[in-house]
């Protein structure tokens, strides 16, 4: 076991795995920029914060990695320097005010929080937008910035390449940082015995789980491809303009959240089924189609595989260890929320039971890369692969008041960009102190903020009204 206070003595290099490679291909186009933002009512000690980030880079080698592209082999690899090197980029009040003005000018009638607008801004900061990095040493996968607000508050943002940080890793990273900021004794962090960067998810799949006959793989690939041409989408508002990711937030109070979770438990389903069902019903309702007219929608469900890999990985093992399951669903109008939620969840659960999160992993990665290379294979060249993406399990966070006061924490959000290849709406759900809080990300101006606020508002209405039946 390496000493966390002692960085490694030499630079390490590891080729990216198959799933990591698909994200390396996706991020230059705008999908897979992970952002974590925390709003503090008073400035932290920047020196202490810088030290905390260095500790994270020492304990998690992937955070000090640089992503390198080899032009001769057209392959990516991680270069891991021996020492932590992240530096916080500060933005003073004037710089922050100009950024907020620029981000909000397209929606002058809407009052969005500074944290909200800064996260939208950070999702446009794509240091990986060039296929070939400017430096032969590669491009960092981890950046940090601080934004000074006019009331003395500070927004701290961590921005990461998704190949190195999936949602579970982002949650673990945020919790570790907050614990360091309040001066708690840090929990033991599990590392590889030699302290090296972990391997790609494919190297940890249990033996035989990813096996699939060639003919079966071909049939599945054909099925996915043909099915995509029959999928319904939300109306696209602007298919030509350059895209960025925007956010709409969906919140429910403690009572509504508790009753929805109880409804899930009594029906043997998870929250992801309810959220995907609400999104499908809301999306179809905007089309004013007659009942009985069928449409097919795609739902992508993301699974954190750490607990089912071999060996089992801890929750704070950073990297990308999620897998995706794709399920299509036919809607004819008139579906009730709980009926559709049970159908969507059972479809996902059956696919997972049949190990499709492992056996279809290579196929899904291949299709993702093909869509990136050939946008014309998607409707209106929109790069939309599904109507919605959800996570199998929500994040449960009970950050108590005492902790919050210790670091002056007022709010925090986390999500990833989707304006390249991806869904029309990606839902990052958290149960925060008993209340549902969803950060819903969408590609703009392919979809407008007005359109997506209306969709999310309808989803909330559907969720609340389902509790009155």
């Amino acid at each position: 076991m390496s000493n966390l206070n002692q960085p490694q003595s030499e630079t390490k290099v590891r080729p990216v795995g198959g799933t990591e490679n698909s994200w390396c291909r996706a991020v230059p186009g705008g999908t897979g920029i992970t952002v974590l933002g925390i709003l503090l009512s008073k400035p932290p000690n920047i020196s202490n914060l810088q030290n905390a980030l260095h500790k994270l880079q020492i304990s998690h080698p992937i955070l000090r990695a640089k992503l390198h592209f080899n032009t001769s082999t057209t392959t990516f690899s991680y270069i891991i320097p021996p020492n932590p090197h992240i530096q916080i980029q500060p933005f003073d009040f004037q710089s922050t005010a100009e950024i907020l003005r620029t981000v909000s000018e397209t929606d002058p009638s809407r009052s969005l929080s500074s944290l909200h607008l800064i996260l939208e801004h950070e999702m446009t900061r794509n240091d990986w937008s060039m296929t070939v990095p400017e430096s032969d040493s590669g491009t960092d996968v981890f950046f940090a910035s601080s934004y000074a607000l006019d009331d003395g508050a500070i927004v701290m943002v961590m921005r990461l390449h998704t190949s190195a940080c999936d949602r579970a890793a982002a949650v673990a990273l945020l919790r570790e940082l907050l614990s360091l900021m309040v001066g708690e004794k840090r929990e033991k962090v599990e590392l590889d015995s030699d302290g090296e960067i972990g391997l790609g998810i494919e190297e940890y799949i249990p033996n035989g789980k990813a096996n699939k006959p060639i003919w079966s793989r071909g049939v599945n690939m054909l099925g996915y491809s043909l099915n995509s041409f029959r999928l319904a989408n939300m109306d696209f508002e602007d298919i030509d303009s350059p895209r960025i990711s925007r956010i709409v937030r969906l919140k429910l109070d403690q009572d509504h959240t508790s009753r929805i979770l109880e409804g899930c438990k009594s029906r043997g389903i998870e929250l992801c089924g309810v959220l995907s069902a609400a999104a499908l019903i809301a999306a179809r309702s905007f089309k004013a189609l007659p009942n009985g007219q069928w449409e097919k929608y795609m739902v992508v469900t993301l699974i954190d595989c750490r607990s089912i890999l071999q060996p089992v990985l801890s929750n704070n093992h950073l990297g990308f260890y999620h897998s995706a399951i794709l399920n299509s669903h036919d809607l004819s109008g008139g579906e009730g929320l709980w009926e559709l939620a049970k159908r969507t969840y059972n479809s996902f659960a059956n696919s997972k039971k049949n190990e499709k999160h492992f056996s279809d992993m290579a196929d899904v990665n291949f299709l993702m890369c093909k869509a990136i290379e050939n946008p014309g294979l998607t409707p209106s060249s929109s790069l939309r692969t599904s109507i919605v993406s959800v996570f199998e399990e929500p994040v449960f966070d009970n950050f108590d008041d005492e902790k919050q006061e210790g670091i002056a924490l007022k709010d925090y959000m986390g999500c990833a960009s989707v304006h390249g290849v991806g869904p029309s709406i990606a839902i990052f759900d958290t149960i925060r102190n008993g209340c549902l809080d969803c950060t819903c990300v969408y590609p703009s101006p392919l979809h407008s903020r007005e359109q997506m606020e209306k969709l999310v508002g309808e989803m909330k209405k559907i969720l609340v009204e389902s509790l009155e039946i």
Side-chain angles (χ1 to χ4, degrees), residues 28-48:
T31 290
I33 303 169
T34 297
V35 290
L36 298 167
I38 55 176
L39 174 63
L40 305 172
S41 61
K42 60 183 180 181
N45 183 305
I46 294 297
S47 177
N48 290 343

Side-chain angles (χ1 to χ4, degrees), residues 167 260-261 264 269-279 299-303 340-341 344-346 348-349 388-394 427 429:
R167 185 179 75 149
I260 285 175
L261 294 178
C264 291
I269 64 175
E270 298 292 341
L271 181 62
C272 61
V274 178
L275 293 176
S276 58
V299 174
V300 174
T301 307
L302 294 159
I303 306 167
L340 184 58
T344 57
Y345 180 75
N346 286 343
F348 157 74
V388 62
S389 68
V390 292
F391 289 87
E392 179 185 18
E393 297 177 338
I427 301 176
D429 55 328

Side-chain angles (χ1 to χ4, degrees), residues 162-268:
T162 293
S163 72
C165 185
D166 59 19
R167 185 179 75 149
V171 170
L173 180 61
L174 181 60
R175 287 173 177 168
E176 283 196 54
L177 178 63
L178 294 177
S179 293
L180 287 169
M181 289 174 67
V182 297
E184 287 187 344
K185 183 178 179 181
R186 216 166 142 220
E187 294 182 0
K188 182 179 179 181
V189 178
E190 296 183 19
L191 299 173
D192 296 322
S193 59
D194 54 7
E196 292 196 13
I197 187 174
L199 302 175
I201 186 174
E202 290 82 3
E203 301 300 322
Y204 296 119
I205 295 176
N207 193 27
K209 296 287 188 180
N211 293 347
K212 182 192 287 188
I214 293 178
W215 65 268
S216 179
R217 189 173 300 280
V219 169
N220 281 355
M221 291 288 286
L222 182 62
Y224 280 135
S225 300
L226 293 177
N227 212 22
S228 66
F229 291 107
R230 297 186 292 158
L231 295 176
N233 290 277
M234 294 179 59
D235 292 338
F236 301 134
E237 303 217 345
D238 182 347
I239 63 174
D240 298 317
S241 299
R243 291 173 198 155
I244 54 178
S245 289
R246 296 296 199 197
I247 298 168
V248 175
R249 212 163 173 180
L250 187 160
K251 292 184 176 182
L252 292 182
D253 63 27
Q254 204 168 59
D255 177 59
H256 287 141
T257 301
S258 174
R259 290 163 63 190
I260 285 175
L261 294 178
E262 289 172 2
C264 291
K265 184 177 180 180
S266 68
R267 293 169 174 85

Side-chain angles (χ1 to χ4, degrees), residues 387-415:
I387 190 75
V388 62
S389 68
V390 292
F391 289 87
E392 179 185 18
E393 297 177 338
V395 172
F396 284 87
D397 210 339
N398 296 300
F399 203 69
D400 58 56
D401 292 339
E402 184 178 348
K403 261 187 196 175
Q404 290 184 211
E405 291 175 3
I407 57 174
L409 177 65
K410 303 302 292 182
D411 196 6
Y412 54 100
M413 297 171 66
C415 57

Side-chain angles (χ1 to χ4, degrees), residues 44-283:
N45 183 305
I46 294 297
S47 177
N48 290 343
L49 184 57
Q50 186 78 61
N51 289 336
L53 293 175
H54 282 175
K55 288 180 182 179
L56 292 173
Q57 281 197 313
I58 292 171
S59 61
H60 301 289
I62 188 69
L63 294 181
R64 60 178 191 267
K66 293 177 178 288
L67 190 62
H68 175 72
F69 181 74
N70 187 315
T71 56
S72 60
T73 61
T74 64
T75 57
F76 292 89
S77 58
Y78 295 121
I79 300 175
I80 304 95
N83 300 313
H85 54 269
I86 190 170
Q87 296 295 318
I88 298 171
Q89 182 179 10
F91 293 90
D92 60 19
F93 164 64
Q94 289 80 7
S95 300
T96 301
E98 177 60 22
I99 289 169
L100 292 175
R101 185 194 66 77
T102 301
V103 177
S104 61
E105 66 182 3
T106 56
D107 301 291
S109 64
R110 287 171 170 78
S111 178
L112 300 173
S113 72
S114 297
L115 174 62
H116 185 137
L117 292 172
I118 287 171
L119 252 66
E120 291 189 344
H121 166 70
E122 283 280 334
M123 285 191 290
T124 70
R125 302 184 69 196
N126 195 345
D127 291 84
W128 312 281
S129 59
M130 298 295 292
T131 303
V132 182
E134 294 180 4
S135 170
D136 288 339
S137 63
T139 305
D140 289 338
V141 302
F142 183 26
F143 298 88
S145 303
S146 67
Y147 295 83
L149 304 181
D150 57 0
D151 59 357
I154 290 285
V155 174
M156 287 296 310
V157 179
M158 294 182 286
R159 176 166 44 92
L160 305 102
H161 194 285
T162 293
S163 72
C165 185
D166 59 19
R167 185 179 75 149
V171 170
L173 180 61
L174 181 60
R175 287 173 177 168
E176 283 196 54
L177 178 63
L178 294 177
S179 293
L180 287 169
M181 289 174 67
V182 297
E184 287 187 344
K185 183 178 179 181
R186 216 166 142 220
E187 294 182 0
K188 182 179 179 181
V189 178
E190 296 183 19
L191 299 173
D192 296 322
S193 59
D194 54 7
E196 292 196 13
I197 187 174
L199 302 175
I201 186 174
E202 290 82 3
E203 301 300 322
Y204 296 119
I205 295 176
N207 193 27
K209 296 287 188 180
N211 293 347
K212 182 192 287 188
I214 293 178
W215 65 268
S216 179
R217 189 173 300 280
V219 169
N220 281 355
M221 291 288 286
L222 182 62
Y224 280 135
S225 300
L226 293 177
N227 212 22
S228 66
F229 291 107
R230 297 186 292 158
L231 295 176
N233 290 277
M234 294 179 59
D235 292 338
F236 301 134
E237 303 217 345
D238 182 347
I239 63 174
D240 298 317
S241 299
R243 291 173 198 155
I244 54 178
S245 289
R246 296 296 199 197
I247 298 168
V248 175
R249 212 163 173 180
L250 187 160
K251 292 184 176 182
L252 292 182
D253 63 27
Q254 204 168 59
D255 177 59
H256 287 141
T257 301
S258 174
R259 290 163 63 190
I260 285 175
L261 294 178
E262 289 172 2
C264 291
K265 184 177 180 180
S266 68
R267 293 169 174 85
I269 64 175
E270 298 292 341
L271 181 62
C272 61
V274 178
L275 293 176
S276 58
L280 295 181
I281 294 171

Side-chain angles (χ1 to χ4, degrees), residues 337-365:
L337 176 71
W338 292 109
E339 167 207 348
L340 184 58
K342 192 169 182 65
R343 174 151 59 98
T344 57
Y345 180 75
N346 286 343
S347 180
F348 157 74
N350 287 335
S351 294
K352 185 180 178 183
K353 183 178 179 181
N354 291 325
E355 308 286 0
K356 291 179 76 67
H357 51 301
F358 289 142
S359 64
D360 285 9
M361 186 181 293
D363 301 342
V364 172
N365 289 335

Side-chain angles (χ1 to χ4, degrees), residues 107 110 237 248 286 442 447-456:
D107 301 291
R110 287 171 170 78
E237 303 217 345
V248 175
F286 291 165
Y442 66 94
H447 299 299
S448 67
R449 196 184 302 272
E450 180 181 12
Q451 181 186 23
M452 299 310 287
E453 286 181 342
K454 184 178 178 183
L455 175 76
V456 170

